[in-house]
Amino acid sequence: MNTKFSQLLMDPKEQEAMAQQSFTSHEDLLAYLLDHGILLQVDWKGEEHEFQIGKFLQGRAAVLLPGTSIDIETPYGKLRDAVKKESINAGDSVPLLLKSFQAQQKKTGLTVVLLDIGNDSYYIGLIKQSDAAGLKKQSDPVWRFTAFGSLSGEVLYTVNCDCGSMNIWQVKRGEKITDDVCQDCGKQIFDEEGNSSFQVIKDYI
């Protein structure tokens, strides 16, 4: 299994420790990265507890570039202000925080990255900016890392109807498509609960 790109998330000691492991699937590798605090999984709706993302990034920065300081209070202050002003919707808090933290990384020599494995969760990591070029050259379709900000935070839903028509929807991450039909024949594609009897292809963009 190709673990080359996941190693960009680690310092030499962590790389050495991972090299002693044997992974039989991408799921095993992902579990290892999460269990060892190298990646952080956050639901699209928001953090499980305040400062979860900030403390994770602060910890990873200290590992990758010892002595690096990351300001946690400012991003969370912006989030609290947005909540008070009721200017954010469900699903907006994580992108807002990541945008604030990514803006700081220009001074630290680090960059926030996301692992896209095709679901609504955010898998957050941190790498050195000098490794960003290597990240762009990755070719493994299962391990798709991208720098935060290069994705729109939206999802393309594609459904091929029985009539042969291809139906495409573009929605925000975590948003459901409900009570919608084929654009050509009118057959129901999604019911009122957002479920579909058709195969639904999701592309995170």
Side-chain angles (χ1 to χ4, degrees), residues 20-102:
Q20 307 302 315
Q21 305 295 315
S22 177
F23 303 104
T24 58
S25 68
H26 288 94
E27 290 75 16
D28 287 344
L29 176 55
L30 177 60
Y32 178 90
L33 297 174
L34 292 170
D35 290 345
H36 288 77
I38 296 164
L39 282 180
L40 174 69
Q41 180 181 1
V42 180
D43 188 78
W44 71 272
K45 294 180 181 179
E47 300 174 301
E48 290 184 8
H49 50 82
E50 192 177 26
F51 303 126
Q52 183 181 18
I53 293 174
K55 289 182 178 179
F56 166 76
L57 293 175
Q58 191 177 58
R60 292 309 300 159
V63 169
L64 296 172
L65 290 176
T68 301
S69 176
I70 290 182
D71 172 20
I72 291 182
E73 184 54 41
T74 298
Y76 284 95
K78 291 180 180 179
L79 177 59
R80 286 191 289 268
D81 289 342
V83 171
K84 288 179 181 178
K85 296 176 182 177
E86 298 183 348
S87 60
I88 64 172
N89 300 311
D92 289 343
S93 63
V94 175
L96 189 153
L97 287 171
L98 291 177
K99 183 178 180 180
S100 296
F101 281 115
Q102 185 72 310

Coordinates of all heavy atoms in Angstrom, one line a residue, residues 20-102:
Q20 N 7.0 0.7 11.0 CA 7.1 -0.5 11.7 C 5.7 -1.2 11.6 O 5.6 -2.4 12.0 CB 7.4 -0.3 13.2 CG 8.7 0.4 13.4 CD 9.9 -0.2 12.7 OE1 10.1 -1.4 12.8 NE2 10.7 0.6 12.0
Q21 N 4.7 -0.5 11.1 CA 3.3 -1.1 11.0 C 3.1 -1.7 9.7 O 3.7 -1.4 8.7 CB 2.3 0.1 11.3 CG 2.5 0.8 12.6 CD 2.3 0.0 13.8 OE1 1.4 -0.8 13.8 NE2 3.2 0.1 14.8
S22 N 2.1 -2.6 9.7 CA 1.7 -3.2 8.4 C 0.2 -2.9 8.2 O -0.6 -3.3 9.1 CB 1.9 -4.7 8.5 OG 1.4 -5.4 7.3
F23 N -0.2 -2.3 7.1 CA -1.6 -1.9 6.9 C -2.1 -2.8 5.8 O -1.5 -2.9 4.7 CB -1.7 -0.5 6.6 CG -1.1 0.5 7.6 CD1 0.1 1.1 7.4 CD2 -1.8 0.7 8.8 CE1 0.7 1.9 8.4 CE2 -1.3 1.5 9.8 CZ 0.0 2.1 9.6
T24 N -3.3 -3.4 6.0 CA -3.9 -4.3 5.0 C -4.9 -3.5 4.2 O -5.4 -4.1 3.2 CB -4.5 -5.5 5.7 OG1 -5.5 -5.1 6.6 CG2 -3.5 -6.3 6.4
S25 N -5.3 -2.3 4.6 CA -6.3 -1.6 3.9 C -6.2 -0.1 4.2 O -5.5 0.3 5.1 CB -7.8 -2.0 4.3 OG -8.0 -1.6 5.7
H26 N -6.8 0.7 3.4 CA -6.8 2.2 3.6 C -7.5 2.5 4.9 O -7.1 3.5 5.5 CB -7.4 2.9 2.4 CG -6.6 2.9 1.2 ND1 -6.7 1.9 0.2 CD2 -5.5 3.7 0.8 CE1 -5.8 2.1 -0.8 NE2 -5.1 3.2 -0.5
E27 N -8.5 1.7 5.2 CA -9.2 2.0 6.5 C -8.3 1.8 7.7 O -8.4 2.6 8.6 CB -10.4 1.0 6.6 CG -11.6 1.3 5.6 CD -11.3 0.9 4.2 OE1 -10.3 0.1 4.0 OE2 -12.0 1.3 3.3
D28 N -7.4 0.8 7.6 CA -6.5 0.6 8.7 C -5.5 1.7 8.8 O -5.2 2.2 9.9 CB -5.7 -0.7 8.5 CG -6.5 -2.0 8.7 OD1 -7.6 -1.9 9.3 OD2 -6.1 -3.1 8.2
L29 N -5.0 2.2 7.7 CA -4.1 3.3 7.7 C -4.8 4.6 8.2 O -4.2 5.3 9.1 CB -3.6 3.6 6.3 CG -2.7 4.8 6.1 CD1 -1.5 4.8 7.1 CD2 -2.2 4.9 4.7
L30 N -6.0 4.8 7.8 CA -6.7 6.0 8.3 C -6.9 5.9 9.8 O -6.8 6.9 10.5 CB -8.1 6.1 7.6 CG -9.0 7.3 8.1 CD1 -8.3 8.6 7.8 CD2 -10.3 7.2 7.3
A31 N -7.3 4.7 10.3 CA -7.5 4.5 11.7 C -6.2 4.8 12.5 O -6.2 5.4 13.6 CB -8.0 3.1 12.0
Y32 N -5.1 4.4 12.0 CA -3.8 4.7 12.6 C -3.5 6.2 12.7 O -3.1 6.7 13.7 CB -2.7 4.0 11.8 CG -1.3 4.2 12.4 CD1 -0.8 3.3 13.3 CD2 -0.5 5.3 11.9 CE1 0.5 3.6 13.8 CE2 0.8 5.5 12.5 CZ 1.3 4.7 13.4 OH 2.5 4.9 13.9
L33 N -3.7 6.9 11.6 CA -3.5 8.3 11.6 C -4.4 9.1 12.6 O -4.0 10.0 13.2 CB -3.7 8.9 10.2 CG -2.7 8.3 9.1 CD1 -3.1 8.8 7.7 CD2 -1.3 8.7 9.4
L34 N -5.6 8.6 12.7 CA -6.6 9.3 13.6 C -6.2 8.9 15.1 O -6.2 9.8 15.9 CB -8.0 8.8 13.3 CG -8.6 9.3 12.0 CD1 -9.9 8.7 11.7 CD2 -8.8 10.9 12.0
D35 N -5.9 7.7 15.3 CA -5.6 7.2 16.7 C -4.3 7.9 17.2 O -4.2 8.1 18.4 CB -5.4 5.7 16.7 CG -6.8 5.0 16.5 OD1 -7.8 5.6 16.6 OD2 -6.7 3.7 16.2
H36 N -3.4 8.2 16.3 CA -2.1 8.8 16.7 C -2.1 10.3 16.6 O -1.1 10.9 16.8 CB -1.0 8.2 15.9 CG -0.6 6.7 16.3 ND1 -1.4 5.7 15.9 CD2 0.3 6.2 17.1 CE1 -0.9 4.6 16.4 NE2 0.1 4.9 17.2
G37 N -3.3 10.9 16.4 CA -3.4 12.3 16.4 C -2.7 13.0 15.2 O -2.4 14.2 15.3
I38 N -2.5 12.3 14.1 CA -1.8 12.9 13.0 C -2.9 13.5 12.1 O -2.6 14.5 11.4 CB -1.0 11.8 12.2 CG1 0.1 11.3 13.2 CG2 -0.4 12.3 10.9 CD1 0.7 10.0 12.7
L39 N -4.1 12.9 12.1 CA -5.2 13.5 11.4 C -6.3 13.8 12.4 O -6.4 13.0 13.4 CB -5.8 12.6 10.3 CG -5.1 12.6 8.9 CD1 -5.8 11.6 8.0 CD2 -4.9 13.9 8.3
L40 N -7.2 14.7 12.2 CA -8.3 15.0 13.0 C -9.6 14.9 12.2 O -9.7 15.5 11.2 CB -8.2 16.4 13.7 CG -9.4 16.8 14.5 CD1 -9.5 16.0 15.8 CD2 -9.3 18.3 14.8
Q41 N -10.5 14.1 12.7 CA -11.8 14.0 12.0 C -12.9 14.9 12.7 O -13.0 14.8 13.9 CB -12.3 12.5 12.0 CG -13.7 12.3 11.4 CD -14.2 10.9 11.4 OE1 -13.5 10.0 12.0 NE2 -15.3 10.6 10.8
V42 N -13.5 15.7 12.0 CA -14.5 16.6 12.5 C -15.8 16.5 11.6 O -15.7 16.6 10.4 CB -14.0 18.1 12.5 CG1 -15.1 19.0 13.1 CG2 -12.8 18.2 13.4
D43 N -16.9 16.4 12.2 CA -18.2 16.3 11.5 C -18.5 17.6 10.8 O -18.1 18.7 11.3 CB -19.3 16.0 12.5 CG -20.6 15.7 11.8 OD1 -20.8 14.6 11.2 OD2 -21.5 16.6 11.7
W44 N -19.2 17.5 9.7 CA -19.4 18.8 8.9 C -20.2 19.8 9.7 O -20.2 21.0 9.4 CB -20.2 18.4 7.6 CG -21.6 18.0 7.8 CD1 -22.1 16.7 8.1 CD2 -22.8 18.8 7.8 NE1 -23.4 16.7 8.2 CE2 -23.9 18.0 8.0 CE3 -23.0 20.2 7.6 CZ2 -25.2 18.5 8.1 CZ3 -24.3 20.7 7.6 CH2 -25.4 19.8 7.9
K45 N -21.0 19.3 10.7 CA -21.8 20.3 11.5 C -21.0 21.1 12.4 O -21.5 22.2 12.9 CB -22.9 19.5 12.2 CG -23.9 18.8 11.4 CD -24.9 18.0 12.2 CE -26.0 17.3 11.3 NZ -27.0 16.6 12.2
G46 N -19.8 20.6 12.8 CA -19.0 21.4 13.7 C -18.2 20.5 14.7 O -18.3 19.2 14.6
E47 N -17.5 21.1 15.5 CA -16.6 20.4 16.5 C -17.4 19.7 17.6 O -18.5 20.2 17.9 CB -15.6 21.4 17.1 CG -14.7 22.1 16.2 CD -13.9 23.2 16.9 OE1 -14.5 24.1 17.5 OE2 -12.7 23.1 16.9
E48 N -16.8 18.7 18.2 CA -17.4 18.0 19.3 C -17.3 18.9 20.5 O -18.1 18.9 21.4 CB -16.8 16.7 19.6 CG -17.1 15.6 18.5 CD -16.5 14.3 18.9 OE1 -16.0 14.1 20.0 OE2 -16.5 13.4 18.0
H49 N -16.2 19.7 20.6 CA -16.0 20.6 21.7 C -15.2 21.8 21.3 O -14.4 21.6 20.3 CB -15.3 19.9 22.9 CG -14.1 19.2 22.5 ND1 -12.8 19.8 22.4 CD2 -13.9 17.8 22.3 CE1 -11.9 18.9 22.1 NE2 -12.5 17.7 22.0
E50 N -15.3 22.9 21.9 CA -14.6 24.1 21.5 C -13.1 23.9 21.6 O -12.6 23.3 22.4 CB -15.1 25.3 22.4 CG -14.6 26.7 21.8 CD -15.1 27.8 22.7 OE1 -15.3 27.6 23.9 OE2 -15.2 28.9 22.1
F51 N -12.4 24.6 20.6 CA -11.0 24.5 20.5 C -10.4 23.2 20.0 O -9.2 23.0 20.0 CB -10.3 24.9 21.8 CG -10.7 26.2 22.4 CD1 -11.2 26.3 23.7 CD2 -10.6 27.4 21.6 CE1 -11.5 27.5 24.2 CE2 -10.9 28.6 22.2 CZ -11.4 28.7 23.5
Q52 N -11.3 22.3 19.6 CA -10.8 21.0 19.1 C -9.9 21.1 17.9 O -8.8 20.5 17.9 CB -12.0 20.1 18.7 CG -11.7 18.7 18.2 CD -12.9 17.9 17.8 OE1 -13.9 18.4 17.5 NE2 -12.7 16.6 17.8
I53 N -10.3 21.9 16.9 CA -9.4 22.1 15.7 C -8.2 22.9 16.1 O -7.1 22.6 15.7 CB -10.2 22.8 14.6 CG1 -11.3 21.9 14.1 CG2 -9.3 23.2 13.5 CD1 -12.3 22.5 13.1
G54 N -8.4 24.0 16.9 CA -7.3 24.8 17.2 C -6.2 24.1 18.0 O -5.0 24.2 17.7
K55 N -6.6 23.3 19.0 CA -5.6 22.6 19.8 C -4.9 21.5 18.9 O -3.7 21.2 19.1 CB -6.3 21.9 21.0 CG -6.7 23.0 22.0 CD -7.3 22.3 23.3 CE -7.7 23.3 24.3 NZ -8.4 22.7 25.5
F56 N -5.6 20.9 18.0 CA -5.0 19.9 17.2 C -4.0 20.5 16.3 O -2.8 20.0 16.2 CB -6.1 19.2 16.3 CG -5.5 18.5 15.1 CD1 -4.9 17.2 15.3 CD2 -5.5 19.0 13.8 CE1 -4.4 16.5 14.3 CE2 -4.9 18.3 12.8 CZ -4.4 17.0 13.0
L57 N -4.3 21.7 15.6 CA -3.3 22.3 14.8 C -2.1 22.9 15.6 O -1.0 22.8 15.1 CB -4.0 23.5 14.0 CG -5.1 23.0 13.0 CD1 -5.8 24.3 12.4 CD2 -4.4 22.2 11.9
Q58 N -2.4 23.3 16.8 CA -1.3 23.8 17.6 C -0.4 22.7 18.0 O 0.9 22.8 17.9 CB -1.9 24.4 18.9 CG -0.9 25.2 19.7 CD -1.6 25.8 20.9 OE1 -2.2 25.1 21.8 NE2 -1.5 27.1 21.1
G59 N -0.9 21.5 18.3 CA -0.1 20.4 18.6 C 0.7 19.9 17.4 O 1.9 19.5 17.6
R60 N 0.1 19.8 16.2 CA 0.8 19.4 15.1 C 1.9 20.3 14.6 O 3.0 19.9 14.2 CB -0.2 19.2 13.9 CG -1.2 18.1 14.1 CD -0.5 16.7 14.4 NE 0.5 16.3 13.4 CZ 1.4 15.4 13.7 NH1 1.6 14.9 14.9 NH2 2.3 15.1 12.7
A61 N 1.6 21.6 14.8 CA 2.7 22.6 14.5 C 3.9 22.5 15.4 O 5.0 22.6 14.9 CB 2.1 24.0 14.6
A62 N 3.7 22.2 16.6 CA 4.8 22.0 17.6 C 5.6 20.7 17.2 O 6.8 20.7 17.5 CB 4.2 21.8 19.0
V63 N 5.0 19.7 16.6 CA 5.7 18.5 16.2 C 6.5 18.8 14.9 O 7.6 18.4 14.8 CB 4.7 17.4 16.0 CG1 5.4 16.2 15.3 CG2 4.1 16.9 17.3
L64 N 5.8 19.4 13.9 CA 6.5 19.6 12.6 C 7.5 20.7 12.6 O 8.6 20.5 12.0 CB 5.4 19.9 11.6 CG 4.4 18.8 11.3 CD1 3.3 19.3 10.4 CD2 5.1 17.6 10.7
L65 N 7.2 21.8 13.4 CA 8.2 22.9 13.5 C 8.2 23.4 14.9 O 7.5 24.3 15.3 CB 7.7 24.0 12.5 CG 7.9 23.8 11.0 CD1 7.3 25.1 10.3 CD2 9.3 23.6 10.6
P66 N 9.0 22.7 15.7 CA 9.1 23.0 17.2 C 9.3 24.5 17.4 O 10.1 25.2 16.7 CB 10.3 22.2 17.7 CG 10.3 21.0 16.8 CD 9.9 21.6 15.4
G67 N 8.5 25.1 18.3 CA 8.6 26.5 18.6 C 7.6 27.3 17.9 O 7.5 28.5 18.2
T68 N 6.9 26.7 16.9 CA 5.9 27.5 16.2 C 4.7 27.8 17.1 O 4.2 27.0 17.8 CB 5.4 26.6 15.0 OG1 6.5 26.3 14.1 CG2 4.4 27.4 14.2
S69 N 4.2 29.1 17.0 CA 3.1 29.5 17.8 C 1.9 29.7 16.9 O 2.0 30.4 15.8 CB 3.4 30.8 18.5 OG 2.3 31.3 19.2
I70 N 0.8 29.2 17.2 CA -0.5 29.4 16.5 C -1.5 30.1 17.4 O -1.7 29.6 18.6 CB -1.0 28.0 16.0 CG1 -0.2 27.5 14.9 CG2 -2.5 28.2 15.5 CD1 -0.7 26.2 14.3
D71 N -2.1 31.1 16.9 CA -3.1 31.9 17.7 C -4.4 31.2 17.6 O -5.0 31.0 16.5 CB -3.2 33.3 17.1 CG -4.4 34.1 17.7 OD1 -4.8 33.7 18.8 OD2 -4.8 35.1 17.1
I72 N -4.9 30.7 18.7 CA -6.2 30.0 18.8 C -7.4 30.9 19.0 O -8.4 30.8 18.4 CB -6.2 28.9 19.8 CG1 -5.2 27.7 19.4 CG2 -7.6 28.3 20.1 CD1 -5.2 26.6 20.4
E73 N -7.1 31.9 19.9 CA -8.3 32.8 20.3 C -8.9 33.6 19.2 O -10.1 33.7 19.1 CB -7.8 33.7 21.4 CG -8.9 34.6 22.0 CD -10.1 33.8 22.5 OE1 -9.9 32.7 23.1 OE2 -11.2 34.2 22.3
T74 N -8.1 34.1 18.3 CA -8.6 34.9 17.2 C -9.6 34.2 16.3 O -10.8 34.7 16.1 CB -7.5 35.5 16.3 OG1 -6.7 36.4 17.2 CG2 -8.1 36.4 15.2
P75 N -9.3 33.0 15.8 CA -10.3 32.3 15.0 C -11.6 32.0 15.7 O -12.7 32.1 15.2 CB -9.6 31.0 14.6 CG -8.2 31.4 14.6 CD -8.0 32.3 15.8
Y76 N -11.5 31.6 17.0 CA -12.7 31.3 17.8 C -13.4 32.5 18.1 O -14.7 32.5 18.3 CB -12.3 30.4 19.0 CG -12.0 29.0 18.6 CD1 -10.7 28.6 18.4 CD2 -13.0 28.1 18.4 CE1 -10.4 27.3 18.0 CE2 -12.8 26.8 18.0 CZ -11.5 26.4 17.8 OH -11.2 25.1 17.4
G77 N -12.7 33.6 18.3 CA -13.4 34.9 18.5 C -14.3 35.3 17.3 O -15.4 35.8 17.5
K78 N -13.7 35.1 16.1 CA -14.5 35.4 14.9 C -15.7 34.5 14.8 O -16.8 34.9 14.4 CB -13.6 35.2 13.7 CG -12.5 36.2 13.5 CD -11.7 35.9 12.3 CE -10.6 37.0 12.2 NZ -9.7 36.7 11.0
L79 N -15.6 33.2 15.2 CA -16.7 32.3 15.2 C -17.8 32.7 16.2 O -18.9 32.7 15.8 CB -16.2 30.9 15.5 CG -17.3 29.8 15.6 CD1 -18.1 29.7 14.3 CD2 -16.7 28.4 15.9
R80 N -17.4 33.1 17.4 CA -18.3 33.5 18.4 C -19.1 34.8 17.9 O -20.3 34.9 18.1 CB -17.6 33.8 19.7 CG -17.2 32.5 20.4 CD -16.8 32.8 21.9 NE -15.5 33.4 21.9 CZ -14.3 32.8 22.0 NH1 -14.3 31.5 22.1 NH2 -13.2 33.5 22.1
D81 N -18.4 35.7 17.3 CA -19.0 36.9 16.8 C -20.0 36.6 15.7 O -21.1 37.1 15.6 CB -18.0 37.9 16.2 CG -17.1 38.5 17.3 OD1 -17.5 38.5 18.5 OD2 -16.0 39.0 16.9
A82 N -19.7 35.6 14.8 CA -20.6 35.2 13.7 C -21.8 34.6 14.3 O -22.9 34.8 13.8 CB -19.9 34.3 12.8
V83 N -21.7 33.8 15.3 CA -22.8 33.1 16.0 C -23.7 34.1 16.6 O -24.9 34.1 16.5 CB -22.3 32.1 17.0 CG1 -23.5 31.6 17.8 CG2 -21.6 30.9 16.4
K84 N -23.1 35.1 17.3 CA -23.9 36.2 17.9 C -24.7 37.0 16.9 O -25.8 37.4 17.1 CB -23.0 37.1 18.7 CG -22.4 36.5 20.0 CD -21.5 37.5 20.7 CE -20.9 36.9 22.0 NZ -20.0 37.8 22.7
K85 N -24.1 37.2 15.8 CA -24.7 38.0 14.7 C -25.7 37.2 13.9 O -26.3 37.7 13.0 CB -23.7 38.7 13.8 CG -22.8 39.7 14.5 CD -21.7 40.2 13.6 CE -20.8 41.2 14.3 NZ -19.7 41.6 13.4
E86 N -25.7 35.9 14.2 CA -26.5 34.9 13.4 C -26.2 35.0 11.9 O -27.1 34.9 11.1 CB -28.0 35.2 13.7 CG -28.4 35.0 15.1 CD -29.9 35.2 15.4 OE1 -30.6 35.7 14.5 OE2 -30.4 34.8 16.5
S87 N -25.0 35.1 11.6 CA -24.5 35.3 10.2 C -24.0 34.0 9.6 O -23.4 34.0 8.5 CB -23.5 36.4 10.1 OG -22.3 36.1 10.8
I88 N -24.1 32.9 10.4 CA -23.6 31.6 9.8 C -24.7 30.6 9.9 O -25.6 30.6 10.8 CB -22.4 31.1 10.6 CG1 -22.7 30.8 12.0 CG2 -21.2 32.1 10.4 CD1 -21.5 30.1 12.7
N89 N -24.7 29.6 9.0 CA -25.6 28.5 9.0 C -25.0 27.2 9.4 O -23.8 27.2 9.6 CB -26.2 28.4 7.6 CG -26.9 29.6 7.1 OD1 -27.7 30.2 7.8 ND2 -26.5 30.0 5.9
A90 N -25.8 26.2 9.6 CA -25.3 24.9 9.9 C -24.2 24.5 8.9 O -24.5 24.6 7.7 CB -26.4 23.8 10.0
G91 N -23.1 24.0 9.4 CA -22.1 23.6 8.4 C -21.0 24.7 8.1 O -20.1 24.4 7.4
D92 N -21.3 25.9 8.6 CA -20.3 27.0 8.3 C -19.2 27.1 9.2 O -18.2 27.8 8.9 CB -21.1 28.3 8.2 CG -22.0 28.5 7.0 OD1 -21.9 27.7 6.1 OD2 -22.9 29.3 7.1
S93 N -19.3 26.6 10.4 CA -18.3 26.8 11.5 C -17.0 26.3 11.2 O -15.9 26.9 11.4 CB -18.8 26.3 12.8 OG -19.0 24.9 12.8
V94 N -16.9 25.0 10.7 CA -15.6 24.4 10.4 C -14.9 25.2 9.3 O -13.7 25.5 9.4 CB -15.8 22.9 10.0 CG1 -14.4 22.3 9.6 CG2 -16.3 22.2 11.3
P95 N -15.5 25.5 8.1 CA -14.8 26.2 7.1 C -14.4 27.6 7.6 O -13.3 28.1 7.2 CB -15.9 26.4 6.0 CG -16.8 25.2 6.1 CD -16.8 25.0 7.6
L96 N -15.2 28.2 8.4 CA -14.8 29.6 9.0 C -13.5 29.4 9.8 O -12.6 30.2 9.7 CB -15.9 30.1 9.8 CG -15.8 31.6 10.3 CD1 -17.1 32.2 10.5 CD2 -15.0 31.7 11.6
L97 N -13.5 28.4 10.7 CA -12.3 28.2 11.5 C -11.0 27.9 10.7 O -10.0 28.4 10.9 CB -12.5 27.1 12.5 CG -13.5 27.4 13.7 CD1 -13.8 26.2 14.5 CD2 -12.8 28.5 14.6
L98 N -11.2 27.0 9.7 CA -10.1 26.5 8.9 C -9.5 27.7 8.1 O -8.3 27.8 7.9 CB -10.5 25.4 8.0 CG -10.8 24.1 8.7 CD1 -11.2 23.0 7.7 CD2 -9.5 23.6 9.5
K99 N -10.4 28.5 7.6 CA -10.0 29.7 6.8 C -9.1 30.6 7.7 O -8.1 31.1 7.2 CB -11.2 30.5 6.3 CG -10.9 31.7 5.4 CD -12.1 32.4 4.9 CE -11.8 33.6 4.0 NZ -13.0 34.2 3.5
S100 N -9.6 30.8 8.9 CA -8.8 31.7 9.8 C -7.5 31.1 10.2 O -6.4 31.8 10.2 CB -9.6 31.9 11.1 OG -10.8 32.6 10.9
F101 N -7.4 29.8 10.4 CA -6.2 29.1 10.8 C -5.2 29.1 9.5 O -4.0 29.2 9.7 CB -6.4 27.7 11.3 CG -6.8 27.7 12.7 CD1 -8.1 27.3 13.1 CD2 -6.0 28.2 13.7 CE1 -8.5 27.3 14.5 CE2 -6.4 28.2 15.1 CZ -7.6 27.8 15.4
Q102 N -5.8 28.8 8.4 CA -5.0 28.8 7.2 C -4.3 30.1 6.9 O -3.2 30.2 6.4 CB -5.8 28.4 6.0 CG -5.1 28.1 4.7 CD -4.2 26.9 4.7 OE1 -3.5 26.6 5.6 NE2 -4.3 26.1 3.6

